[in-house]
Amino acid sequence: MDTLLITRLNSLWQPVYPHLAQWVENWLPKKEAHILEMGPFSGGIIASLLQHHPTLQGTIVLGEENVAQAIQSSFGAPCPILISPLEHLPLLPTFSLAVCRGAFFFLTPQIIKESCRILQPGGHALLGGGYGPTTPGRVISPIAAESKDLNYRLGKKLLSRKNLEQMVSEAGLENQSTIIEEGGLWLLVSQKC
């Protein structure tokens, strides 16, 4: 992926990340939490969460090493970055929450399975795309056109609810998944206790 375009997209989305983080907080446990943010559009949610939850532990997993520079130039080093294929994460089930924004560039049934596998009992994975349901229109309006153009230039695939349902079925997680269509298209996967 073009790291200059990712850096620009991250810069453009700076006012969105606090709203996404606020929404994601709904799935954080009240006590200690370890969050994993996955994919080339990582960093913004974790950086925003860490501002309000300094005891939160975070990890970022990227599939491409060159994207790490884009993340660091956009957000500094909010937490450790691991380079690994997202379909085969070398991680134990230690995470309370896994988040992947911009998932529709690369989401597969295997990534859905892996995001569930690395969760602690009672943990959640939120995978998808969009501004989230808590981002106000006044934040979205000024960036929507450029964001859409950048996403197109970066190779975003159009994914429907039906496509997502098919991936969930192939992953074998129908009974643990909920599709959220408010503020984009998101998949919430819950790890059974």
Side-chain angles (χ1 to χ4, degrees):
M1 295 191 106
D2 186 325
T3 57
L4 292 176
L5 294 179
I6 291 172
T7 302
R8 176 60 192 144
L9 195 61
N10 284 336
S11 174
L12 192 66
W13 275 60
Q14 287 290 346
V16 175
Y17 291 123
H19 298 284
L20 281 172
Q22 180 184 18
W23 180 50
V24 164
E25 283 179 339
N26 291 313
W27 294 285
L28 282 176
K30 300 288 184 229
K31 51 183 181 169
E32 286 186 22
H34 194 166
I35 183 172
L36 176 69
E37 194 169 1
M38 307 182 304
F41 307 104
S42 296
I45 293 173
I46 279 184
S48 293
L49 284 170
L50 287 171
Q51 288 180 359
H52 300 287
H53 303 278
T55 61
L56 181 70
Q57 295 180 41
T59 302
I60 294 173
V61 175
L62 305 172
E64 300 176 32
E65 191 167 342
N66 65 333
V67 176
Q69 295 170 343
I71 302 295
Q72 290 173 335
S73 68
S74 299
F75 308 109
C79 58
I81 295 176
L82 173 66
I83 308 301
S84 169
L86 301 180
E87 293 183 332
H88 302 288
L89 298 171
L91 300 167
L92 296 173
T94 56
F95 296 91
S96 315
L97 179 64
V99 178
C100 184
R101 184 194 75 74
F104 301 135
F105 286 81
F106 52 83
L107 191 64
T108 66
Q110 184 59 34
I111 291 173
I112 295 170
K113 284 173 82 167
E114 279 293 280
S115 68
C116 184
R117 183 193 63 76
I118 54 88
L119 295 174
Q120 296 174 338
H124 303 281
L126 186 63
L127 317 169
Y131 296 99
T134 59
T135 305
R138 65 177 164 70
V139 172
I140 297 169
S141 275
I143 67 168
E146 185 178 357
S147 180
K148 184 176 181 178
D149 177 61
L150 289 168
N151 282 323
Y152 173 76
R153 292 169 58 196
L154 283 163
K156 179 180 179 182
K157 298 175 191 169
L158 293 178
L159 192 70
S160 69
R161 178 186 179 106
K162 187 174 181 174
N163 298 134
L164 188 54
E165 288 171 347
Q166 179 64 36
M167 280 196 254
V168 169
S169 177
E170 288 176 29
L173 295 171
E174 302 97 304
N175 295 332
Q176 293 172 247
S177 301
T178 304
I179 293 177
I180 301 168
E181 294 183 278
E182 189 179 4
L185 182 61
W186 301 87
L187 176 67
L188 178 66
V189 180
S190 300
Q191 181 59 274
K192 294 180 180 180
C193 297

